[in-house]
Amino acid sequence: MTDDPRLTTGLGSIQSVGLNAFEANQIEIQANVGHGLPSFVVNGKVDASLREAKDRVRAAITNSELKFPDLKVTVSLAPADLPKAGSSFDLGMALAILAATEQVMTTRTTRTVFLGELGLDGGLRTVRGVLPALKHARDQGFTHAVVPMPNVAEAALVADLEIGGARCLKEVVRWLAGDHVLDTVTEGDAIPPPTEHHDMSDVVGQAEARHALEIAAAGAHHVLMTGPPGIGKTMLARRLPGILPPLGSEESLEVTAIHSIAGTLRAGHPLVSEAPFIAPHHTTSTTALLGGGTGLARPGAVSRAHRGVLFLDECAEMGPKVLDALRQPLEEGEVRVSRRDGVATYPARFQLIMAANPCPCAPAHDIDCICSAVARRRYLGKLSGPLMDRVDIRVRMDPPGNTALMSDAEESSAAVRDRVTAARNAALDRWGAHGWLTNAEVPGSALRQRFRLEPSALRPIELFLRDGRVTARGADRAIRLAWTLGDLKGLAQPGETEVAEALLYRDRGGH
Ligand SMILES: [Zn+2]
């Protein structure tokens, strides 16, 4: 090492990982320090957030008792053609400059990736997307990763990668010199805390709605609940994650990765192991729903609800554009977010639960409604069309009668979850080979042809079709639902009873 880095020219190289939405790429950060007018240039398809990195890197180096070279400094992020955004390259850029000027040792850097945003004081700040970035690094053969201290618990979720947590640039420099040990966490620290307790046993009465929610959980069906304000639509929807099977380990990591990029992980307990519940307000924007924004595109509500529940309360109050935007992710299970550099894709396979008042004036009892017949029709009419074609269950909630309020304690979520899990396993055994995981995913054509029910089971549908009481699409929905009713009863195939029952769910909810 030399005492005066201003005189040192050279090349330094540090490895990092960049994210383009859900896609991770290994990024090599090269710093070249050469003779010429003092300057600092960053190359390699970087966005505005990265150009600000120059100020942070320069200040962090000088405020860490290190020297920023008074020479021509060029930092390149390779491969050049990949778009790069976010602040997680700060640490790598600083280290590359320090390596070029021989202020740090580079013997430990070849198998190590570095992620972290720098403060002007040289402190390291938490960054988004650590989990998906480090999973990629591990798959690329890296053995070590250095991350900001607050990201350590999340980083530790990646198996077979040694994690070091640092509070500031100086700690990393001392670690590279071999005279500092970086902090790690053991697996025991990452055990998730018990999840919030929203139990089905808290819901008094509403037997029909509770049963509808159980069916929805078993078949992964989308639901529309209508009923007056305060009837318990939100309370019930919040209890859906508690009766869904817990996420498998792969799903869990996938969901955690999305929430890592969104910046919504719980500090210290980052692993998301239960189905998420995401409830955007009815005034939410299309961007907030679908994702986007400058820098590293944030996953929207549809992606944060991936493998879980998207709850839209007062959905009749949402703009038609916002509701229409849901169609593409509902159909494809992923969402495309438009970017300056093209299109980014995030997973978005969620169960949609919508709730609406029956009319604009929304009285506690229907009899007090002051809306005109036209206003009432128009209100829920907004929800018709292609979006509603995907909603298999409509349920109408009414104020509970006195007997319902006096009834015994209701069943717990754990008991319901056992039945739901058994039904889901039955569906998976049947459809798994065809690539469908749940009854809700089975296309109508398969239900009508390949997996056609016995003629006796189809009799109620034929009657309804003949009388014009159900449309062809409505018939598909009823058959799909009948399969779930059969699965909940442990039947090999739904019969006439299940099909007739399913037809009852066809039109409820007021339209
Ligand atoms: Zn009204």
Side-chain angles (χ1 to χ4, degrees):
M1 283 205 206
T2 156
D3 291 336
D4 191 355
R6 278 172 302 177
L7 299 178
T8 313
T9 58
L11 197 66
S13 167
I14 291 294
Q15 299 295 332
S16 192
V17 183
L19 289 175
N20 184 26
F22 216 45
E23 182 195 313
N25 297 289
Q26 189 192 328
I27 302 290
E28 184 183 7
I29 304 172
Q30 289 183 330
N32 185 57
V33 176
H35 293 295
L37 283 175
S39 61
F40 183 9
V41 178
V42 179
N43 295 327
K45 209 170 181 184
V46 294
D47 84 340
S49 64
L50 250 161
R51 284 192 283 274
E52 287 163 20
K54 284 198 293 183
D55 296 334
R56 294 194 297 269
V57 167
R58 186 194 292 267
I61 288 177
T62 50
N63 288 327
S64 301
E65 294 162 33
L66 297 155
K67 285 184 177 147
F68 193 88
D70 202 11
L71 292 161
K72 188 177 175 192
V73 178
T74 309
V75 169
S76 301
L77 281 68
D81 57 338
L82 280 176
K84 298 161 202 83
S87 52
S88 63
F89 300 117
D90 287 8
L91 175 61
M93 286 165 64
L95 291 173
I97 293 167
L98 295 172
T101 50
E102 293 178 13
Q103 296 183 80
V104 295
M105 310 269 286
T106 50
T107 43
R108 296 175 91 159
T109 58
T110 46
R111 312 282 306 272
T112 307
V113 288
F114 296 86
L115 295 172
E117 177 181 325
L118 285 170
L120 298 177
D121 60 354
L124 269 174
R125 295 171 179 173
T126 173
V127 289
R128 295 190 277 135
V130 163
L131 175 63
L134 294 190
K135 267 175 81 179
H136 179 80
R138 189 263 327 264
D139 295 344
Q140 296 293 306
F142 285 95
T143 54
H144 289 72
V146 174
V147 299
M149 218 32 225
N151 287 122
V152 167
E154 176 191 346
L157 296 174
V158 181
D160 304 322
L161 193 67
E162 227 170 282
I163 307 298
R167 285 166 199 83
C168 61
L169 177 61
K170 239 157 83 176
E171 275 189 6
V172 183
V173 172
R174 285 174 53 211
W175 176 72
L176 287 170
D179 51 12
H180 178 72
V181 178
L182 293 176
D183 285 302
T184 54
V185 283
T186 57
E187 258 176 72
D189 297 335
I191 291 171
T195 39
E196 285 174 85
H197 208 62
H198 291 297
D199 203 280
M200 286 295 262
S201 58
D202 307 334
V203 182
V204 179
Q206 302 296 351
E208 192 192 324
R210 277 189 289 117
H211 186 51
L213 206 67
E214 175 174 340
I215 300 164
H221 303 283
H222 305 312
V223 181
L224 170 67
M225 296 188 281
T226 53
I231 192 82
K233 301 189 289 280
T234 304
M235 187 186 188
L236 205 58
R238 278 200 177 281
R239 279 153 184 77
L240 178 54
I243 61 171
L244 290 172
L247 301 176
S249 53
E250 275 303 304
E251 286 178 323
S252 195
L253 281 177
E254 185 188 28
V255 173
T256 306
I258 293 169
H259 287 257
S260 163
I261 300 173
T264 51
L265 291 179
R266 279 188 292 184
H269 301 286
L271 188 69
V272 182
S273 51
E274 300 272 319
F277 180 86
I278 305 295
H281 192 256
H282 64 80
T283 58
T284 195
S285 68
T286 310
T287 305
L289 195 63
L290 301 186
T294 54
L296 176 57
R298 276 184 200 270
V302 295
S303 295
R304 284 183 287 121
H306 181 60
R307 307 266 177 223
V309 179
L310 182 71
F311 177 55
L312 301 181
D313 199 7
E314 299 194 40
C315 62
E317 304 284 343
M318 298 183 97
K321 261 194 191 151
V322 176
L323 287 172
D324 201 49
L326 286 171
R327 275 171 57 193
Q328 183 260 322
L330 276 174
E331 274 163 30
E332 297 172 29
E334 57 180 31
V335 62
R336 292 192 297 274
V337 183
S338 291
R339 310 275 300 131
R340 191 172 52 98
D341 294 307
V343 174
T345 305
Y346 282 117
R349 191 171 293 287
F350 54 87
Q351 193 169 355
L352 179 64
I353 308 294
M354 299 195 288
N357 297 325
C359 71
C361 85
H365 295 275
D366 238 8
I367 197 159
D368 300 322
C369 175
I370 53 164
C371 303
S372 68
V374 175
R376 273 184 80 93
R377 243 196 334 269
R378 199 176 286 158
Y379 191 65
L380 288 180
K382 274 197 263 183
L383 299 175
S384 61
L387 180 61
M388 286 311 294
D389 278 341
R390 309 207 149 256
V391 177
D392 291 338
I393 299 180
R394 295 118 198 249
V395 59
R396 163 84 208 205
M397 289 171 75
D398 292 307
N402 291 336
T403 46
L405 286 171
M406 309 258 292
S407 67
D408 293 335
E410 306 292 358
E411 234 184 346
S412 72
S413 290
V416 182
R417 185 190 251 188
D418 287 346
R419 287 197 298 269
V420 167
T421 305
R424 283 222 173 189
N425 289 339
L428 187 61
D429 284 348
R430 183 170 58 239
W431 312 124
H434 303 274
W436 310 311
L437 304 180
T438 58
N439 291 338
E441 290 172 44
V442 183
S445 55
L447 298 170
R448 270 176 265 121
Q449 293 153 24
R450 198 158 174 184
F451 296 96
R452 192 176 174 85
L453 299 180
E454 298 292 317
S456 61
L458 288 172
R459 208 174 300 141
I461 298 247
E462 277 153 18
L463 285 174
F464 270 60
L465 278 169
R466 196 186 314 152
D467 299 351
R469 283 193 285 164
V470 69
T471 61
R473 282 177 194 280
D476 283 353
R477 281 203 299 270
I479 294 172
R480 207 173 276 127
L481 212 52
W483 276 101
T484 304
L485 294 169
D487 287 340
L488 279 167
K489 291 181 188 170
L491 305 177
Q493 242 196 41
E496 192 171 351
T497 314
E498 289 72 41
V499 172
E501 192 188 341
L503 279 164
L504 292 177
Y505 285 100
R506 171 187 56 103
D507 264 346
R508 288 184 187 164
H511 80 117

